[in-house]
Amino acid sequence: MKRLALAFGLIGLAVAAPALAQEQMTDPDYRPAVARPAYAADGPVVVIDGAHRNFHTVDGRYAPFAALLRADGYRVRGGTTPFDAGGLDGVEVLVIANAGQPEAGGSAFTASEIEAVEAWVAGGGRLLLIADHAPHGAAAEALAARFGVGMGKGYAFAMTGEVDLTTNLSYPREAFGEHPVMTGRSANERVSGVTAFTGQSLEGPPGAETLLPMTVGAREAPDLPTLQALVDRLDGGAAAEGALEDLSTPALPAQALAFRHGQGRVVVLGEAGMLSAQRVRYPDGRPDQRFGMNTAPGNAQFGLNIMHWLSGLLP
């Protein structure tokens, strides 16, 4: 029987399963390099949220992204304060990556925090909101909805054959439009390609521009056990059409969005690993597997361009 843990295309699912013994860690060998830093000194203050049970934090799984931004001249620090209690003070770009649900479930953010973030963006703040596969979509859903963004909240995947599927979603250059995030400040900064490692699908508000259009035919399973059940049924010889219909739904149209909100700007990503650099170690001696900016070089430029657009370097 095929297991999700055995396929690199499903690496994000493997590391999400608590029963598995492999170790997910920041890749210590990743060293970001920026050929032409955006800021020589005193760049914008970027706060990576760490006050909401975040799976990705400035000193943890998003340390590689923080290092990339610092190499570009941004001043990066972690956020430890609720957004309605001073957590937005002095912040120029706010990054929220995979906030976690409280023990009782529901939103990672209080209604007061959501109102504070919306008002801050409307007044000129810049927000990068990242929510990955379940349960992170449910944790961020209420905040996203305040900006008109819909979330699939499950595990997005694409079929690679009659019975094979992958959650590694590759976006080639040909799929991109001409949004400044994709074209950059020069030809050297045009994004050559992006790879997402698992994640959910998104739908934007009116006027939002799609940065990463979801793979044609992509679908979404509501949770990891359901996705595993789908793999097992396909592996067992079940008809693909029926299995897909029973255990998944069509994915929403995007995995990355950009739009203006009042005087501010917002980018929403349906996958967090693309802006990390991580490694998975297995206890049985299998070679380490890497995912993120350390295996998909175009992802780093994508991340830089997102920040350049949010901070106003790009129109």
Side-chain angles (χ1 to χ4, degrees):
M1 178 173 65
K2 296 176 185 175
R3 303 302 298 178
L4 299 182
L6 300 181
F8 180 66
L10 296 169
I11 190 71
L13 307 185
V15 299
L20 299 176
Q22 68 254 25
E23 179 186 7
Q24 181 182 357
M25 58 185 291
T26 299
D27 187 348
D29 297 330
Y30 178 71
R31 298 289 186 273
V34 178
R36 186 163 66 102
Y39 300 95
D42 297 329
V45 173
V46 177
V47 169
I48 298 178
D49 178 41
H52 299 90
R53 299 162 293 276
N54 304 73
F55 190 71
H56 292 78
T57 60
V58 69
D59 296 319
R61 293 179 181 87
Y62 255 30
F65 186 50
L68 177 70
L69 299 187
R70 289 176 178 132
D72 202 36
Y74 289 91
R75 292 174 287 166
V76 184
R77 58 181 173 85
T80 59
T81 306
F83 300 137
D84 59 347
L88 298 171
D89 294 349
V91 180
E92 293 176 79
V93 182
L94 173 65
V95 179
I96 304 172
N98 276 353
Q101 291 182 299
E103 290 185 6
S107 175
F109 315 101
T110 66
S112 179
E113 283 187 293
I114 291 171
E115 291 304 311
V117 172
E118 189 279 328
W120 175 76
V121 173
R126 311 301 169 100
L127 172 65
L128 172 55
L129 174 62
I130 308 170
D132 215 318
H133 57 68
H136 299 295
E141 181 181 22
L143 176 59
R146 190 68 181 83
F147 292 94
V149 174
M151 294 185 161
K153 297 182 291 182
Y155 283 79
F157 66 90
M159 300 300 295
T160 60
E162 289 295 323
V163 296
D164 294 317
L165 59 85
T166 181
T167 57
N168 276 8
L169 301 175
S170 296
Y171 298 96
R173 178 172 174 171
E174 297 75 32
F176 305 148
E178 293 298 310
H179 190 278
V181 167
M182 310 315 296
T183 59
R185 294 175 294 173
S186 66
N188 291 334
E189 292 185 352
R190 181 178 284 271
V191 179
S192 59
V194 174
T195 300
F197 305 88
T198 77
Q200 63 163 328
S201 60
L202 305 169
E203 187 169 37
E209 295 196 51
T210 296
L211 303 179
L212 299 180
M214 184 57 74
T215 302
V216 174
R219 298 183 68 84
E220 195 158 332
D223 51 39
L224 182 59
T226 302
L227 185 54
Q228 180 66 67
L230 174 59
V231 171
D232 292 345
R233 279 183 59 176
L234 295 174
D235 187 43
E241 183 177 354
L244 290 169
E245 186 67 24
D246 290 345
L247 299 173
S248 67
T249 57
L252 298 176
Q255 202 164 33
L257 303 163
F259 55 91
R260 298 173 186 269
H261 183 82
Q263 299 300 310
R265 297 184 177 191
V266 179
V267 171
V268 183
L269 303 182
E271 203 276 312
M274 68 174 76
L275 298 183
S276 70
Q278 297 183 60
R279 177 185 292 186
V280 176
R281 288 179 172 169
Y282 296 96
D284 59 7
R286 279 179 288 165
D288 291 359
Q289 292 183 323
R290 293 172 171 83
F291 64 100
M293 297 183 293
N294 48 354
T295 62
N299 288 17
Q301 190 62 61
F302 182 54
L304 288 175
N305 287 3
I306 287 172
M307 298 303 294
H308 294 169
W309 184 74
L310 287 173
S311 56
L313 289 177
L314 291 170

